[in-house]
Amino acid sequence: MNIFGFRCVHCQGQLAVASHGLCCRCNRLVQSRAYCGKCGAELPQNAMMCGQCLRHEPSWDRLVMAGRYNEPLSTLIHRFKFQQAFWLDRTLARLLLLAVMKARREHGLTLPDVLIPVPLHHFRQWRRGYNQADLIAGWLSKWLKMPCENNLLVRAKHTPTQRGLTAKARRQNLKNAFRVKRKIPHQRIALIDDVITTGSTLNEIAKLLRKQGVQEIQVWGLAKT
């Protein structure tokens, strides 16, 4: 019995463990199906490469995601990003942590040297009040006892929102949008993001990191559309 009355952040049902944020029922709805460990495409069983990768290979090496952009995850992420529900960071970070642990078991994932949250332009971060990827990365850094570098990469170009743009328009929109502030002293990094759509943002960052000599680039995201 939950004597403290802690509630699920989605359905408001009672929680047995308050720190989890989600009840068992809502947590099961978030669980992702088998997917490609390279691009994230949904597959009948886990694999490290798929036909989609062969046609359009991502610029990164590995991908980990907590789930698909469906209910209840889509609503939680929308509240987190656009409705000032920054306190959802721990709940969402825990979902991504569980996905990372699962990827270690099922995809043979090797943990990176450092976590790097995808940056927001300073104007957008000022308007929102926080960078949602940075908040998620902070919890993962604590739980995995791994450094988080949130000042190596900056978004130097204030671009229009990517929502509603075609894949080609997204790539053009992001041209020269990012820069590295100083030499990256790590060979294996994980980029932390919220929603992975076409992957244009992450591809642009990955190409930049390759030029800096980074050997392995992982992408950890809350959801993939």
Side-chain angles (χ1 to χ4, degrees):
M1 180 178 177
N2 185 345
I3 63 173
F4 297 105
F6 294 116
R7 298 285 178 176
C8 171
V9 297
H10 183 68
C11 73
Q12 298 304 306
Q14 285 196 334
L15 290 176
V17 183
S19 61
H20 288 182
L22 284 174
C23 66
C24 294
R25 178 181 175 277
C26 290
N27 192 69
R28 282 195 298 270
L29 292 174
V30 171
Q31 299 304 311
S32 63
R33 298 184 178 93
Y35 65 93
C36 172
K38 174 83 170 182
C39 73
E42 192 169 317
L43 299 175
Q45 61 185 29
N46 288 324
M48 280 313 304
M49 185 73 79
C50 69
Q52 184 169 304
C53 293
L54 296 176
R55 293 191 299 272
H56 305 288
E57 185 174 2
S59 298
W60 60 80
D61 301 292
R62 306 293 297 271
L63 183 141
V64 177
M65 60 180 180
R68 295 288 163 185
Y69 194 66
N70 301 321
E71 290 294 342
L73 191 53
S74 55
T75 292
L76 292 172
I77 293 173
H78 191 273
R79 289 167 59 194
F80 180 46
K81 287 180 66 174
F82 303 116
Q83 297 179 10
Q84 295 293 305
F86 57 86
W87 45 268
L88 287 172
D89 58 346
R90 182 186 175 108
T91 297
L92 292 171
R94 179 178 176 274
L95 292 176
L96 188 47
L97 175 69
L98 293 175
V100 169
M101 296 298 100
K102 185 176 181 182
R104 294 191 73 187
R105 295 191 305 271
E106 300 181 5
H107 283 149
L109 182 78
T110 300
L111 291 179
D113 303 322
V114 67
L115 307 177
I116 299 180
V118 171
L120 290 176
H121 187 269
H122 62 85
F123 179 69
R124 185 164 291 164
Q125 183 164 336
W126 171 76
R127 289 188 63 183
R128 184 171 295 167
Y130 52 91
N131 176 357
Q132 67 278 1
D134 195 16
L135 295 182
I136 296 294
W139 282 108
L140 293 172
S141 173
K142 176 181 178 181
W143 292 330
L144 293 170
K145 296 179 172 55
M146 184 181 300
C148 174
E149 297 274 10
N150 58 9
N151 60 356
L152 285 177
L153 188 66
V154 295
R155 189 160 190 155
K157 180 180 172 185
H158 183 45
T159 57
T161 179
Q162 295 281 82
R163 293 192 301 278
L165 296 180
T166 64
K168 182 178 180 181
R170 284 170 180 257
R171 290 193 296 271
Q172 185 62 34
N173 190 39
L174 292 166
K175 191 174 182 179
N176 300 318
F178 300 94
R179 66 179 176 85
V180 175
K181 291 178 66 176
R182 55 186 170 85
K183 182 175 175 58
I184 297 177
H186 309 285
Q187 292 302 306
R188 183 185 291 124
I189 67 101
L191 293 170
I192 311 301
D193 205 0
D194 47 21
V195 180
I196 304 162
T197 307
T198 65
S200 299
T201 298
L202 295 160
N203 269 314
E204 189 71 18
I205 294 173
K207 291 174 186 176
L208 181 61
L209 295 177
R210 293 287 188 208
K211 293 177 182 177
Q212 298 294 316
V214 177
Q215 296 299 308
E216 181 180 333
I217 300 169
Q218 301 176 13
V219 169
W220 297 2
L222 292 175
K224 190 175 189 304
T225 60

